[in-house]
Amino acid sequence: MNPGGVLMLVVGLAVGAFGVVRMLGSRRLRRTGVAAVGTVVRHEETSDDGPIYQPVVAFVDEGGGEHQFTAAMRTSWRVHRVGQRVPVRYPAGRPGAAELVSGTHAAVVAGLPLAFGVVFALLGLFWSLQG
């Protein structure tokens, strides 16, 4: 077996597992979480060979408390514009654990790692069997 292929397979499985865990968590939150409507108030900007943006979302919980959180989604473009209303969900009684639940957010946070994981795992498997 080719050691490089085995490493690629292991990395692919790990990245894919991360995507599955994020997808299942998001799915559970969509089913059981408290829904709210948030507003993108700004973007946190960092640099990683170019600008990386994360939306900061403000919302009001079911008790009238105001909250803000930075979404997990990090992209090289501003997916949501400032002022845009976005769907938010949080576990009952825990608005501090709120998440952005848009389809774009799910695709970036869970879908991309899952897709990359599958591709790397398949390439690693193929490469390890070649050597």
Side-chain angles (χ1 to χ4, degrees):
M1 288 190 123
N2 182 323
V6 172
L7 178 62
M8 186 179 276
L9 174 62
V10 170
V11 168
L13 291 174
V15 171
F18 173 78
V20 168
V21 167
R22 290 292 303 178
M23 187 181 324
L24 292 175
S26 179
R27 186 174 173 196
R28 182 178 348 101
L29 192 59
R30 283 178 190 257
R31 280 195 330 263
T32 64
V34 177
V37 176
T39 302
V40 176
V41 294
R42 69 179 185 283
H43 292 92
E44 285 191 5
E45 184 177 341
T46 56
S47 181
D48 188 24
D49 292 334
I52 301 292
Y53 304 101
Q54 285 180 271
V56 178
V57 178
F59 72 99
V60 177
D61 68 22
E62 61 191 343
E66 296 180 12
H67 302 274
Q68 273 191 15
F69 67 96
T70 302
M73 177 175 53
R74 299 177 70 222
T75 60
S76 59
W77 69 96
R78 292 179 176 99
V79 174
H80 301 288
R81 70 185 186 291
V82 172
Q84 182 177 352
R85 295 169 54 91
V86 292
V88 171
R89 285 204 179 257
Y90 60 90
R94 295 182 41 220
E99 292 185 17
L100 180 59
V101 291
S102 70
T104 304
H105 184 261
V108 170
V109 173
L112 284 179
L114 181 57
F116 279 113
V118 167
V119 169
F120 271 77
L122 290 173
L123 288 172
L125 181 62
F126 178 75
W127 190 15
S128 66
L129 293 175
Q130 296 299 311

